[in-house]
């Protein structure tokens, strides 16, 4: 027995913002954003909290799986934008769901966060420490964007995706994860400044800062490498993969990975154009959409692959149950 995805769900804020609308606020254009990134619009919260979004995504995943809240014994939320420093987002969500039997914690691995959380839950299930787990990737990135920095703020969006996990004949087969803290400054968002009785640091408000080209170069090298390693480890041929569900950061990264793997781009589902980059939420949002549309068939081999802040990366091979 392995760990199966029993249900999926997602939530996107009601408010959508097109590239043209952004151009009313800053020196940018639909032409620049869409040709450089593939993004046409994104969802930006006008009031939904991270807990609201995670809750709606979780509700759909639980309904889809048939697993009620009291049967969840683990909740992990992957996020860098939790509503509170404490309680954790997972604990806030536990209360809203009434998942009274779950142990709850958050995980920060930026855009790879959902995959790191998925693997952690998998190990809990395989270790006999949980029967059913809820894993969420949720981000309210609009609150950590510098809206005066057009090179980052046009890229990101808000949203949440969720999966319910349980034991199954088919499911997670192989996992590759990696981190390189030495290159972490390429995608940085500082924490609160040190301020106490003895010191007051004068620092700017902590917004996201990204060395776009450095992260781009990292992604186009690291992602295909880790997918190739995963395929080799699993003894599965690239042609046997139904879908490559990549973190949605830039269409040019996805095209480059497809080219390097010599795989038709049609096998790379995309929601980047509608959602922008939603960091830890992008993979489960995309997975939920494919599942909702009936595009995942029993026996399909699917690879999920994430990359980003840390720097971190990972790939998971799943046989759809
Ligand atoms: O999820 C985490 C992982 N993140 C990623 O994978 C992101 C990876 N990086 C990228 O996707 C790309 O590097 C970006 C989309 C961020 C940037 O694309 P780029 O082709 O690397 O552009 P650039 O940063 O080299 O900027 C080119 C020009 C610059 O102007 P000059 O210096 O050539 O005159 C920028 O000032 O584009 C300018 N620019 C813009 N122009 C209009 C930067 N942002 C904008 C903008 N609108 N929003």
């Amino acid at each position: 027995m392995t760990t199966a995805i029993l249900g999926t769900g997602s939530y996107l804020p009601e408010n959508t913002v097109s590239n043209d609308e952004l151009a009313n606020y800053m020196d940018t254009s639909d032409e620049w954003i869409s040709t450089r990134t593939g993004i046409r619009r994104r969802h930006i919260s006008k009031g939904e909290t991270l807990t609201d979004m995670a809750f709606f995504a979780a509700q759909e995943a639980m309904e889809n799986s048939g697993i009620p809240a009291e049967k969840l014994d683990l909740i992990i939320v992957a996020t860098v934008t939790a509503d509170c420093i404490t309680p954790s987002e997972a604990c806030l969500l536990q209360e809203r769901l009434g998942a009274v039997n779950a142990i709850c914690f958050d995980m920060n691995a930026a855009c790879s966060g959902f995959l790191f959380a998925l693997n952690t839950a998998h190990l809990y299930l395989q270790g006999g420490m949980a029967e059913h787990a809820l894993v969420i990737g949720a981000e309210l990135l609009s609150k950590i964007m510098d809206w005066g920095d057009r090179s980052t703020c046009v890229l990101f969006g808000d949203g949440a995706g969720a999966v319910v996990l349980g034991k199954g004949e088919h499911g997670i087969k192989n996992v590759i994860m990696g981190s390189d803290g030495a290159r972490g400054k390429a995608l940085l968002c500082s924490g609160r400044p040190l301020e106490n009785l003895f010191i007051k640091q004068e620092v700017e408000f902590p917004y996201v800062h990204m060395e776009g080209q450095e992260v781009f170069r990292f992604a186009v090298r690291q992602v295909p490498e880790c997918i190739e390693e995963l395929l080799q480890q699993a003894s599965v041929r690239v042609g046997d993969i139904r879908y490559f569900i990549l973190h949605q950061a830039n269409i040019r990264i996805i095209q480059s990975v497809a080219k390097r793997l010599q795989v038709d781009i049609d096998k790379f589902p995309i929601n980047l154009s509608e959602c922008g980059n939603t960091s830890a939420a992008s993979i489960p949002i995309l997975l939920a959409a494919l599942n909702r549309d009936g595009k995942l068939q029993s026996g399909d081999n699917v690879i999920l692959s994430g990359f980003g802040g840390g720097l971190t990366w990972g790939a998971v091979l799943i046989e759809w149950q």
Side-chain angles (χ1 to χ4, degrees):
M1 293 289 257
T2 183
T3 303
I5 295 180
L6 305 181
T8 58
S10 66
Y11 179 82
L12 292 160
E14 281 178 23
N15 178 44
T16 59
V17 182
S18 69
N19 293 343
D20 283 334
E21 279 175 88
L22 285 184
N24 294 328
Y25 295 91
M26 63 195 77
D27 182 15
T28 191
S29 64
D30 176 52
E31 203 270 332
W32 191 95
I33 302 171
S34 57
T35 53
R36 300 261 176 164
T37 69
I39 299 166
R40 294 199 168 275
R41 55 187 67 77
R42 71 286 294 141
H43 296 251
I44 304 284
S45 170
K46 279 173 98 175
E48 293 105 328
T49 63
L50 195 81
T51 315
D52 294 333
M53 297 195 299
F55 174 71
F56 294 130
Q59 267 193 326
E60 187 190 349
M62 285 160 57
E63 269 170 37
N64 186 231
S65 67
I67 304 297
E70 61 275 13
K71 282 206 169 167
L72 295 173
D73 27 35
L74 175 65
I75 300 176
I76 309 178
V77 179
T79 188
V80 296
T81 49
D83 285 337
C84 300
I85 289 177
T86 189
S88 69
E89 195 54 53
C91 283
L92 294 171
L93 185 60
Q94 175 188 32
E95 189 199 10
R96 281 276 283 275
L97 292 171
V100 291
N101 297 311
I103 60 160
C104 305
F105 57 91
D106 292 354
M107 191 165 272
N108 175 346
C111 307
S112 312
F114 175 75
L115 293 191
F116 280 42
L118 182 70
N119 190 38
T120 304
H122 171 50
L123 297 173
Y124 266 78
L125 264 68
Q126 295 307 304
M129 289 182 69
E131 282 287 313
H132 296 106
L134 173 65
V135 176
I136 311 246
E139 297 292 7
L140 200 50
L141 295 166
S142 60
K143 72 177 178 183
I144 56 167
M145 286 302 124
D146 177 353
W147 288 96
D149 175 10
R150 65 178 182 170
S151 70
T152 51
C153 72
V154 303
L155 307 173
F156 295 93
D158 301 330
V163 296
V164 172
L165 304 175
K167 297 242 175 75
E169 285 292 321
H170 308 292
I172 295 177
K173 287 168 117 177
N174 294 77
V175 180
I176 301 274
M177 300 274 154
S179 307
D180 182 1
R183 286 191 288 168
K185 287 199 172 60
L187 180 37
L188 182 74
C189 184
S190 306
R192 288 160 67 103
L194 178 60
E195 194 179 328
N196 58 35
L197 285 175
F198 312 104
I199 186 168
K200 182 169 170 36
Q201 286 181 337
E202 296 299 329
V203 290
E204 285 179 15
F205 193 84
Y207 291 120
V208 168
H209 175 79
M210 181 166 70
E211 302 295 335
Q213 294 197 0
E214 197 179 329
V215 179
F216 191 96
R217 280 193 296 273
F218 148 75
V220 295
R221 190 179 53 78
Q222 199 69 57
V223 175
E225 248 177 53
C226 89
I227 291 177
E228 279 165 353
E229 193 184 337
L230 182 75
L231 290 167
Q232 201 174 16
Q233 192 192 87
S235 302
V236 171
R237 286 172 307 151
V238 71
D240 295 333
I241 303 301
R242 179 76 187 87
Y243 289 119
F244 296 82
I245 301 174
L246 263 52
H247 167 49
Q248 304 283 295
N250 188 318
I251 189 71
R252 292 185 291 133
I253 294 175
I254 298 171
Q255 286 163 343
S256 163
V257 174
K259 194 170 167 201
R260 160 90 184 262
L261 294 174
Q262 298 183 306
V263 173
D264 195 301
I265 192 74
D266 289 350
K267 287 195 172 181
F268 289 73
I270 286 160
N271 67 7
L272 182 67
S273 52
E274 301 306 305
C275 301
N277 179 344
T278 56
S279 189
S282 77
I283 291 174
I285 290 172
L286 192 49
L287 193 64
L290 290 170
N291 197 20
R292 211 178 284 127
D293 294 346
K295 292 198 170 143
L296 297 165
Q297 304 297 321
S298 179
D300 279 351
N301 279 317
V302 176
I303 286 181
L304 315 180
S305 182
F307 54 90
L311 298 176
T312 56
W313 61 92
V316 178
L317 173 63
I318 295 174
E319 184 180 348
W320 203 252
Q321 60 289 339

